[in-house]
Amino acid sequence: MNDLVRQHTALSDSDLEWLHLLVSEWQLLSDLSFADLVLWVPTLDGTRYVSVAQMRPNTGPTSYQDDMVGHLVPRGRRPMLDSALDEGRIVREGDPEWREEVPVRVESIPVRREGRVLGVIARNTNLLTVRTPSRLELTYLQSASDLAQMIAAGSFPFPGQQVDMDASPRAGDGLIRLDADGVVQYASPNALSAYHRLGLAADLVGHHLGQTTAELAPARGPVDEALVKLASGWAPREFEVEGEDGVIQLRAIPLKPKGTHIGSLVLLRDVTELRRRERELITKDATIREIHHRVKNNLQTVAALLRLQSRRMDSEQGREALNEAVRRVGSIAIVHETLSQNLDERVEFDEIADRVLAMVAEIAPGAVTTRRTGRFGILDAEVATPLSMVLTEVLQNALEHAFVPGDQGSVEVGAVRGGSRTEPRLLVTVQDNGRGLPDGFDPHRAGNLGLQIVRTLVEGELGGKFDMVPGAERGTQVILDIPVRAEKH
């Protein structure tokens, strides 16, 4: 719609925002009217109309099989559009049109904002299945007529009340019509069923909806006057009411077709099962986070025990082996600590990589510095845990073997997301400027425990590739190529 309005019309950005607000609401008008809606806006030169939006009803057959958005119609071809635009009134005159052997009643509703008519809604009703209307259908049609008059007067939609069409109740979910005092004139079967779920034992018609709703809500002292007012439909609001056995979502729409409050339309939906599932998911998420938190605590306890044991050992080699185990356990604990703070099983790995760098840097000899470049991004837990261990082993190996005490040097961790959309990959490099690899060294056959762990995790668990090669100028470069899941932006 933005492109069509800016390309063909003289409407301002604030006018366009009003049309967006209208389009976010007009599914309701379409359903209540049992009719298709097409929004026509006059072009910049005033000689044509361009259709910028279209809506089909959920409650009846469509009048348009084709997409009408983008169509241009010269002024004069559809006189009802001209009359509605020029005179600023709803136009219903004229005989039904015949489209592919289907009779269609056409009406035109001017769209007004701040005293100006921005465009015209063509309301097209398929008359092929017309029959004697029921009480429900009569209520729908009367409510649609009131909304159409409010659109023509510029009092609907309500400024600042943009509605989420997917989350908000629709006409078919449940509809209640109130009079000016908030007393129920009509309640659809779905609406009545929802209130029965809340605990209502009688009919709704003739009862004050606000008072009835407040009485069905759990007793918390005096009757909630705010709830009474909301359920009475005096203001355009969306809210929920929870009873002993159910939850209903309500949306109140005050009706002021001629500037005077004549009643309200209340749309409602039974969301009991939806809220129950949401609570189960919240409970499940909290349980998972608590598990990660406890695993982290247990791993930290294990690391502390290993650290205590290493201090009691006389063998320098044994002490160093236990300290390496402490760092390995610590790298896994970092991942679980991060997961305990998240709502899903994905983590921002850059923070984990920085913490692993800081942990391993404690064993750096002399003036060796560490740093990270690039971005790891968000990774799944099943990738983050082994990758943190791999990073710990590779960094430990570089700091222990690439430098001798007194050396000045650096170790740099680089990360680049690449590959294709169907096969995204993460390329990790660990580059040092130390003394390099010994002659004849084969990283795929070396018996070092750390390298065995790296090979097993990268090639076996992560399904990636691992290599160690001489650096471009000096030192050693470790290359990890790992398949990952694409990030969601």
Side-chain angles (χ1 to χ4, degrees), residues 211-232:
Q211 292 286 352
T212 302
T213 304
E215 290 168 2
L216 291 172
R220 297 186 180 91
V223 173
D224 189 339
E225 292 187 6
L227 179 58
V228 172
K229 189 172 182 179
L230 285 173
S232 299

Side-chain angles (χ1 to χ4, degrees), residues 464-478:
K465 301 174 183 178
F466 157 75
D467 203 2
M468 293 179 69
V469 298
E473 297 181 1
R474 57 173 299 185
T476 304
Q477 185 179 63
V478 177

Side-chain angles (χ1 to χ4, degrees), residues 158-299:
F158 305 109
Q161 291 286 324
Q162 186 151 1
V163 174
D164 183 349
M165 292 174 60
D166 295 326
S168 184
R170 299 191 178 189
D173 296 326
L175 178 143
I176 296 175
R177 176 84 185 215
L178 307 179
D179 65 12
D181 297 321
V183 176
V184 178
Q185 293 179 308
Y186 175 79
S188 72
N190 284 346
L192 192 58
S193 295
Y195 265 83
H196 285 166
R197 188 79 178 263
L198 283 184
L200 179 70
D203 195 0
L204 273 172
V205 175
H207 290 78
H208 189 279
L209 186 66
Q211 292 286 352
T212 302
T213 304
E215 290 168 2
L216 291 172
R220 297 186 180 91
V223 173
D224 189 339
E225 292 187 6
L227 179 58
V228 172
K229 189 172 182 179
L230 285 173
S232 299
W234 283 94
R237 293 288 186 272
E238 194 166 312
F239 57 100
E240 286 190 5
V241 175
E242 183 170 356
E244 296 295 337
D245 299 312
V247 184
I248 58 173
Q249 179 186 14
L250 300 98
R251 182 190 173 201
I253 303 171
L255 298 176
K256 302 177 181 180
K258 296 181 180 179
T260 303
H261 181 78
I262 65 164
S264 304
L265 197 62
V266 177
L267 307 178
L268 65 148
R269 177 169 57 189
D270 184 346
V271 292
T272 306
E273 292 304 314
L274 179 63
R275 296 295 175 261
R276 182 186 62 79
R277 289 196 297 269
E278 286 178 351
R279 291 191 186 101
E280 288 178 351
L281 288 173
I282 291 171
T283 303
K284 179 181 176 183
D285 289 341
T287 302
I288 291 173
R289 288 199 298 274
E290 178 61 21
I291 289 171
H292 284 303
H293 181 71
R294 294 190 182 190
V295 170
K296 182 264 296 185
N297 288 344
N298 290 339
L299 289 172

